[in-house]
Amino acid sequence: MLKSNIEKALNEQINKELFSSYLYLSMGNYFESINLSGFAGWMRLQSQEEYQHAMKILNYVNQKGGRVVLQQIADPKIDWESVVSVFEDTYEHEKMISGSINDIVDLSLGEKDYATHTFLQWFVNEQVEEEATALKILEDVKMIGDYKAGLFMMDRELGQRAPETEEA
Ligand code: FEO
């Protein structure tokens, strides 16, 4: 069984992960609109990963005999000023998600819910990677600036990203 406050926090996290999926899908559409199909493909894979994060939590809640309550997903932003601004938003979003995961870790410790605490360690580690990746791309696109050839090369590089094989 899950305590109701833990169940509520996990349900909210499912919503945040689904919103992340929606946001990255929207960023992908923005990249398509400015003919950066490699960046777009990268964002679509990111979106799929976020969906898998949501499923991982959903499966855990079900496994623990909790009740999954799907909530409305907010409209994502659809336009950005530049490639840099997309990755600024991505980095800020991932930091927010890390904070949200950390809050549930705190809650699980306070409630002595060691199973949830252990379950969340995967997300704690994942967030280190997610933040580092977003920051690295942000720094790269800032460095490239308006240099079109650099952007073109980065578009090709990001377009080579392969889907993750890990099961949710
Ligand atoms: Fe599921 Fe990017 O956090």
Side-chain angles (χ1 to χ4, degrees):
M1 277 299 288
L2 285 171
K3 287 195 173 154
S4 64
N5 55 349
I6 300 271
E7 184 183 67
K8 182 170 178 284
L10 291 172
N11 268 302
E12 284 168 2
Q13 192 63 35
I14 290 171
N15 186 268
K16 286 175 190 169
E17 301 291 347
L18 289 174
F19 174 75
S20 305
S21 177
Y22 224 34
L23 176 65
Y24 295 144
L25 200 55
S26 187
M27 288 173 171
N29 291 332
Y30 165 74
F31 283 130
E32 288 292 359
S33 79
I34 56 169
N35 296 316
L36 289 173
S37 57
F39 278 89
W42 190 93
M43 278 297 176
R44 280 193 295 272
L45 286 176
Q46 192 62 27
S47 171
Q48 285 175 22
E49 268 196 23
E50 297 300 351
Y51 179 78
Q52 286 170 2
H53 294 171
M55 290 308 109
K56 213 182 247 294
I57 303 170
L58 181 149
N59 289 338
Y60 176 75
V61 172
N62 282 331
Q63 205 176 16
K64 292 289 290 177
R67 189 76 174 88
V68 173
V69 181
L70 294 178
Q71 297 156 30
Q72 186 170 1
I73 303 168
D75 291 351
K77 190 170 163 178
I78 59 166
D79 262 316
W80 283 264
E81 286 169 10
S82 62
V83 173
V84 168
S85 70
V86 175
F87 284 97
E88 280 170 347
D89 279 8
T90 301
Y91 183 47
E92 288 307 312
H93 184 73
E94 288 303 330
K95 284 195 287 184
M96 183 278 286
I97 292 290
S98 298
S100 176
I101 295 286
N102 290 343
D103 286 347
I104 316 177
V105 170
D106 273 349
L107 188 66
S108 66
L109 278 180
E111 293 292 351
K112 298 190 189 310
D113 181 346
Y114 302 117
T116 298
H117 182 263
T118 300
F119 166 73
L120 289 170
Q121 296 314 299
W122 183 90
F123 284 88
V124 171
N125 291 326
E126 177 71 5
Q127 282 311 119
V128 173
E129 203 180 298
E130 296 265 283
E131 279 188 39
T133 304
L135 183 58
K136 172 77 176 75
I137 299 177
L138 174 59
E139 285 170 345
D140 286 353
V141 291
K142 270 185 178 169
M143 195 166 60
I144 288 170
D146 291 330
Y147 180 56
K148 291 259 188 297
L151 208 53
F152 177 75
M153 279 172 67
M154 194 159 170
D155 189 60
R156 293 187 77 163
E157 187 191 319
L158 290 182
Q160 286 170 5
R161 178 180 178 178
E164 295 233 325
T165 50
E166 196 205 355
E167 300 260 311

